[in-house]
Amino acid sequence: MLNLSQSACFDELSVAVPDFIRYPTIRKLAERVQHETLNAAASSVLYDPYNTSRSARVLDSLYQTPIADASILVAITHERHPKLLLTRRAAHMNSHAGEVSCAGGKYETGDGNNVVTALREACEETALPPNKVQLLGQLPIQTSKSGMSVRPIVALIAPDLVLVPELGEISRIFWADFETLLTQPTVEYSIEYMMQDQTATILTPSWQVDGETVWGLTGRVIASLLETGFDRQLEWYYRIQESRL
């Protein structure tokens, strides 16, 4: 297990300042995500006279947000044509086996806040160094199909980082082109689901990314990111397919 106190000091974590971001797509995203992060923070964070810098206020709001059951890292490459980091969970996992996800996992005693959870898990799963991450902010809580609260932490990473999947948990690392997510329509995806000892077919939106189907909680997180950053509103539904006689 990664010991973050030995591998990276959290005092070294940085927040990306929108004014210093040269690429318009990422700059707009940073502004919107940080605006939402600060608006959702407690008033004591927003108006602390000793914490006047935007970076300090964003960090404080992230650290003081109530702890979720799990946190994920929504990592976006800092480049002209950004990409979103995605993983496919190993087939032998007890939960969400073989599904596409953002790097992340459950809160552990000692993490202290959602940022530590997301960065610790991302490092364990993909070897992403926490001190190579620039935080943007957070997105609203999502609820997994098992009922867990999941907090997405949004961040920038360098496009040339070498990431390695931890094969005990992750079978593949791949990337979603951000422009494609912004412009392409979703595709309806059907899955078999057990309901009251009967199998039902559930229809839901999805994206097709590099041969993978992105749906479920990961799809909802991406939809939330696109709505927050770019006002792209997507209807995210789960509908039982009616049987045809």
Side-chain angles (χ1 to χ4, degrees):
M1 179 179 298
L2 174 70
N3 187 334
L4 284 176
S5 64
Q6 296 175 358
S7 67
C9 176
F10 275 89
D11 291 340
E12 298 174 0
L13 286 180
S14 64
V15 173
V17 179
D19 289 346
F20 298 151
I21 297 175
R22 61 183 297 188
Y23 306 115
T25 298
I26 300 178
R27 183 169 59 247
K28 180 178 181 179
L29 178 65
E31 291 170 347
R32 294 285 194 89
V33 170
Q34 289 182 6
H35 178 76
E36 290 299 316
T37 299
L38 292 172
N39 277 354
S43 59
S44 60
V45 175
L46 289 174
Y47 302 109
D48 182 352
Y50 301 104
N51 246 348
T52 56
S53 77
R54 184 186 185 94
S55 296
R57 288 187 291 130
V58 169
L59 275 178
D60 278 353
S61 64
L62 290 173
Y63 290 166
Q64 295 184 29
T65 297
I67 292 171
D69 297 324
S71 293
I72 59 175
L73 188 67
V74 184
I76 301 161
T77 56
H78 192 175
E79 57 184 330
R80 183 176 300 279
H81 301 291
K83 298 183 289 294
L84 173 67
L85 172 64
L86 293 171
T87 68
R88 175 161 29 98
R89 291 173 60 82
H92 62 264
M93 298 295 288
N94 292 330
S95 62
H96 306 285
E99 294 181 7
V100 171
S101 65
C102 295
K106 294 181 181 179
Y107 172 83
E108 291 186 358
T109 303
D111 284 348
N113 57 66
N114 300 313
V115 174
V116 176
T117 301
L119 294 180
R120 173 182 55 75
E121 287 283 346
C123 186
E124 291 176 359
E125 293 178 354
T126 70
L128 172 61
N131 60 358
K132 297 295 185 182
V133 171
Q134 280 192 303
L135 298 169
L136 292 185
Q138 62 188 10
L139 298 174
I141 283 279
Q142 298 287 342
T143 302
S144 73
K145 59 186 177 185
S146 62
M148 292 178 56
S149 60
V150 179
R151 174 66 71 179
I153 302 296
V154 188
L156 298 180
I157 60 174
D160 57 353
L161 285 177
V162 177
L163 303 180
V164 181
E166 202 294 297
L167 297 180
E169 297 185 54
I170 300 298
S171 63
R172 184 187 180 205
I173 294 172
F174 64 106
W175 303 89
D177 176 73
F178 214 77
E179 185 65 28
T180 301
L181 293 176
L182 275 170
T183 58
Q184 78 171 11
T186 56
V187 177
E188 194 164 68
Y189 178 59
S190 63
I191 54 172
E192 300 299 313
Y193 195 77
M194 288 296 298
M195 300 179 61
Q196 299 178 344
D197 298 327
Q198 293 184 340
T199 301
T201 300
I202 304 295
L203 302 177
T204 186
S206 72
W207 279 282
Q208 299 299 310
V209 178
D210 197 15
E212 305 281 359
T213 301
V214 183
W215 64 286
L217 184 141
T218 306
R220 297 201 312 271
V221 168
I222 294 174
S224 175
L225 179 70
L226 299 181
E227 181 175 1
T228 298
F230 307 100
D231 297 320
R232 184 181 184 191
Q233 297 187 351
L234 294 164
E235 180 189 3
W236 210 265
Y237 57 85
Y238 296 95
R239 184 170 65 243
I240 299 177
Q241 185 178 47
E242 296 181 2
S243 59
R244 299 176 180 176
L245 302 178

